[in-house]
Amino acid sequence: MASLPPDPIAAPPVLQRARGRADVGFRLDDGATRLDRLFQEGQAKIRLPKVHGATPATAVLINTGGGIAGGDRIAWGARFGAGTRALVTSQAAERVYRSSTTDGELSGEIDSLLEIGDGARAEWLPQETILFDRAALSRRLDVTMAADASALMVEAIVLGRTAMGEEVETCRLVDRWRIRRGGRLVFADTFRVEGAARTILAGAATGAGARAFATVVFVDPQAETRLDEVRALLATGSSAGGASAFDGLLVIRLAHGEPARLKAELSRLLVLIRRAELPRVWSC
């Protein structure tokens, strides 16, 4: 007697994954920074709002998928041509949702690549990334810049929304930075939280209960001269952390138990460094 075929209902479901890639490029044209390239596909979109006065050319990143789940992949690229001045930010906070066990514990992935040409002034100012309980995220920022270029970059992580009473008991986060200036690796950093997040971050040396974190890196020939004013501002806030300067880099770490307080103090810090207000989307 012939055997019956396998029951199709018992087969594991094929889960849908979000994919997105978007690149924006800027060039200098008659002394003004203008759009040179725009590519977008899948869930990754870029919008270019009108700017006026001293505001630099601005690109706004949008993930139309509404967030990142296990197995999703988003790739961003920004190219700042020689002599340009431009800013890249995001429409809102990115959200990373639970990675289901049926996913094989896959991580969501966000990869960002910045290329900064001779004499360019680049700003990478995305809003915070919010992780929910059992989220899994692998994020990477790779920067290649000319020796005389300038770049202000920030990445922030929030573990749960305290206003909603959310707790992140466990998660998997790997956040990598790699910055190369003039062909030389000048900054390499990896922040990792894997497993029982609340227990890991409760230690005095591992966060002291912080739920929000931010890293700011300012690469500029004058970066080291800004250290004293940055430290003076940090001393007036309630965030844990500090600042150091070396080899044309200014590196700042912030950590706080209240995400709203961290964002407010991070905003003040960025305004100080860039000597201008933040993009309007930061206050929306």
Side-chain angles (χ1 to χ4, degrees):
M1 182 176 180
S3 60
L4 294 174
D7 183 355
I9 298 177
V14 178
L15 301 180
Q16 192 172 34
R17 303 298 179 202
R19 298 287 185 269
R21 177 184 160 220
D23 296 274
V24 64
F26 301 95
R27 74 177 190 276
L28 194 64
D29 185 7
D30 291 333
T33 298
R34 305 188 189 281
L35 178 68
D36 184 53
R37 166 184 166 80
L38 179 62
F39 172 87
Q40 49 193 3
E41 66 178 5
Q43 275 70 36
K45 306 298 181 186
I46 295 178
R47 294 296 178 261
L48 302 159
K50 291 183 179 180
V51 296
H52 305 279
T55 303
T58 300
V60 179
L61 310 178
I62 303 172
N63 174 10
T64 60
I68 301 290
D72 292 352
R73 294 188 179 93
I74 301 290
W76 303 110
R79 292 164 177 81
F80 305 82
T84 58
R85 183 187 174 211
L87 179 154
V88 179
T89 185
S90 61
Q91 179 191 39
E94 184 62 274
R95 289 166 171 79
V96 184
Y97 299 108
R98 185 177 77 176
S99 179
S100 171
T101 55
T102 60
D103 299 344
E105 297 296 341
L106 290 175
S107 292
E109 297 179 11
I110 304 175
D111 293 321
S112 303
L113 175 65
L114 311 184
E115 297 179 5
I116 307 170
D118 295 332
R121 295 173 59 193
E123 294 180 284
W124 175 257
L125 305 177
Q127 298 190 63
E128 68 274 18
T129 295
I130 302 172
L131 270 66
F132 292 84
D133 192 33
R134 294 175 59 189
L137 175 67
S138 174
R139 185 170 68 177
R140 186 177 182 101
L141 175 62
D142 281 294
V143 183
T144 301
M145 57 190 300
D148 63 345
S150 174
L152 173 61
M153 296 161 284
V154 62
E155 291 284 11
I157 289 285
V158 171
L159 300 180
R161 299 171 299 181
T162 55
M164 304 295 290
E166 296 168 351
E167 295 290 348
V168 177
E169 299 290 346
T170 183
C171 70
R172 184 167 67 256
L173 167 67
V174 182
D175 195 14
R176 304 175 183 89
W177 289 62
R178 300 293 184 270
I179 302 174
R180 291 171 174 82
R181 182 182 58 197
R184 183 170 66 94
L185 181 66
V186 296
F187 185 77
D189 182 74
T190 299
F191 176 70
R192 182 189 297 268
V193 178
E194 186 167 359
R198 292 186 69 186
T199 302
I200 293 169
L201 297 172
T206 55
R211 301 178 53 154
F213 307 86
T215 298
V216 179
V217 179
F218 182 43
V219 186
D220 186 89
Q222 302 300 315
E224 294 170 73
T225 67
R226 309 292 300 277
L227 180 61
D228 289 343
E229 61 178 321
V230 165
R231 284 180 170 172
L233 180 65
L234 294 179
T236 67
S238 56
S239 294
S244 59
F246 54 92
D247 193 23
L249 281 77
L250 176 61
V251 180
I252 305 151
R253 311 277 196 184
L254 296 176
H256 206 293
E258 293 294 332
R261 289 294 303 162
L262 180 126
K263 186 168 185 177
E265 295 180 9
L266 175 62
S267 298
R268 287 199 302 146
L269 176 64
L270 293 174
V271 167
L272 174 72
I273 295 174
R274 66 194 305 264
R275 309 247 191 251
E277 294 299 318
L278 288 169
R280 290 182 63 187
V281 292
W282 270 62
S283 57
C284 293

